[in-house]
């Protein structure tokens, strides 16, 4: 894994942790969360996260 790969993975994980918090607090809907997740997967192309998704 390159440094760039690691940074993309880390950014994706932090971003999704924040989105999950918004979802758990009821500030966004499940549909909004899933749409956002799809966009973030496309943007960051996280290696590890795609293995466990």
């Amino acid at each position: 894994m390159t440094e760039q790969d690691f940074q993309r993975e880390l950014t994706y994980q932090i971003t999704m942790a924040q989105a999950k918090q918004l979802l758990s607090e009821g500030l966004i809907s499940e549909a909004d969360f899933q749409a956002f997740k799809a966009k973030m997967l496309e943007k960051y192309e996280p290696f590890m996260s795609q293995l466990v998704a």
Side-chain angles (χ1 to χ4, degrees):
M1 179 180 278
T2 67
E3 178 65 26
Q4 185 179 22
D5 292 338
F6 177 76
Q7 288 300 321
R8 283 195 328 251
E9 183 72 35
L10 182 61
T11 302
Y12 173 79
Q13 291 296 333
I14 291 169
T15 301
M16 291 313 299
Q18 293 172 335
K20 287 177 187 176
Q21 183 67 33
L22 293 173
L23 177 63
S24 72
E25 293 175 6
L27 298 173
I28 61 173
S29 68
E30 181 67 31
D32 289 337
F33 175 79
Q34 291 302 326
F36 182 73
K37 181 178 176 181
K39 287 180 184 179
M40 294 302 99
L41 283 169
E42 183 179 328
K43 179 176 182 174
Y44 293 112
E45 299 177 349
F47 177 76
M48 298 297 288
S49 300
Q50 290 178 349
L51 293 177
V52 296

